[in-house]
Amino acid sequence: MDGLIVSSRYGIYKVYCDGLLYSCKPRGTFRKNKLSPIVGDYVTFNENEFVIEEIKERKTVLNRPKVANIDQLLIVFSIVEPEFSYYLAFKYLTYANKFGLDAKIIVTKIDKSGVSQSKIDEIKETFNKLGIKVYFVSNKKGDGLEEVKELFKNKISSLLGQSGVGKSSLLNAIDPSYQRNEGEYSFALGRGKHETKETILLPYEGGYIADTPGFSSLDLELYKEDIAKFFPTFAERSTKCFYTDCLHISEPKCEIKQALENHMIPQIAYDSYLKLSADAVSYIRRYK
């Protein structure tokens, strides 16, 4: 029988097939071939022995969170608690581009006291200039929720974001029957608390939403040349750079820097790029 892995825990995989869930273990040959089933995998399993026998070819696979065959990545931030970070936003968008995934940004907690409309407009304008859609929601009051719900219809989507930004609260607002555990923000630690412990696919309007564990940091594992390639909108513009391996920092005749001077690329975006590039190493150093 063929099915979809919707969750896994302690080596047991929940496989959904024809309205039923089967608890299955993988064949030992997977471990021998250094291959493991992951959430989002389409598999063939033996319904009598409850064993996964085959993993179908994956359309996409994301390393963190570990999930396969998603159509889009919804990057969740809070506008406060924790404070919205342009650097992290561009870091996660670069990460999505690395895996060839369509990505959008959802900003939560807009109902918190002290949140100004000017801050919301600034974030919206910054990303809209780069063709990146941003959605603003209040999980408690429901503001912006209907527009966000449309994003999930008939698609397999994965949420990505730090602990405490409101991923589980967002899911509960979308469908209260999910009853996802909601974390709190720790002012002492300056970050959220981990509540979601595993990746799980939740059915929604002809598709699935992957609720994933939050994290405090995400390593891109990219080289400087990769950052230059996968940073939002840089790939299209860099074809006009004088040097094919342009890093868009000190090279002459750089289309990226020209776009920055012409205010086509926001300064905050370029500053984030410089920071990401500074944190990475080059291909040349890789072999030393």
Side-chain angles (χ1 to χ4, degrees), residues 74-77 104-108 135 137 148 151-152 170:
L74 283 307
I75 305 171
V76 184
F77 288 94
K104 299 176 181 66
I105 294 175
I106 300 175
V107 181
T108 67
Y135 300 83
V137 300
V148 166
L151 298 177
F152 298 103
L170 175 63

Side-chain angles (χ1 to χ4, degrees), residues 254-272:
C254 172
E255 181 66 22
I256 300 300
K257 290 191 291 182
Q258 185 62 52
L260 178 66
E261 291 178 12
N262 294 335
H263 307 291
M264 299 172 68
I265 294 176
Q267 184 66 50
I268 190 67
Y270 186 70
D271 290 344
S272 298

Side-chain angles (χ1 to χ4, degrees), residues 12 67 71 91 119 125 132 144 169 177 181 195 199 265 283:
I12 302 297
V67 60
D71 299 310
K91 184 177 186 178
K119 179 64 174 179
E125 182 181 352
I132 300 165
S169 298
S177 68
N181 290 331
E195 286 296 332
T199 298
I265 294 176
Y283 283 138

Side-chain angles (χ1 to χ4, degrees), residues 16 32 61 73-74 127 139-140 142 169-170 174 211 252-253 278:
Y16 179 79
K32 180 180 179 182
V61 59
L73 193 62
L74 283 307
F127 290 99
N139 296 332
K140 290 184 177 180
S169 298
L170 175 63
I174 290 172
D211 186 19
K253 301 180 181 179

Side-chain angles (χ1 to χ4, degrees), residues 62 64 73 75 77 86-105 127 130 132 160 218-235 269-270 272-277 280:
L62 197 61
R64 186 176 183 186
L73 193 62
I75 305 171
F77 288 94
Y86 283 105
Y87 169 71
L88 289 181
F90 284 110
K91 184 177 186 178
Y92 299 163
L93 288 167
T94 301
Y95 182 70
N97 286 340
K98 172 188 176 182
F99 291 96
L101 291 170
D102 177 39
K104 299 176 181 66
I105 294 175
F127 290 99
L130 298 174
I132 300 165
L160 173 72
L218 174 67
D219 294 327
L220 291 184
E221 299 181 348
L222 295 177
Y223 300 102
K224 291 183 185 293
E225 292 83 352
D226 296 322
I227 302 291
K229 177 181 179 182
F230 295 121
F231 194 86
T233 76
F234 277 23
Y270 186 70
S272 298
Y273 168 75
L274 291 179
K275 188 174 181 180
L276 286 173
S277 182

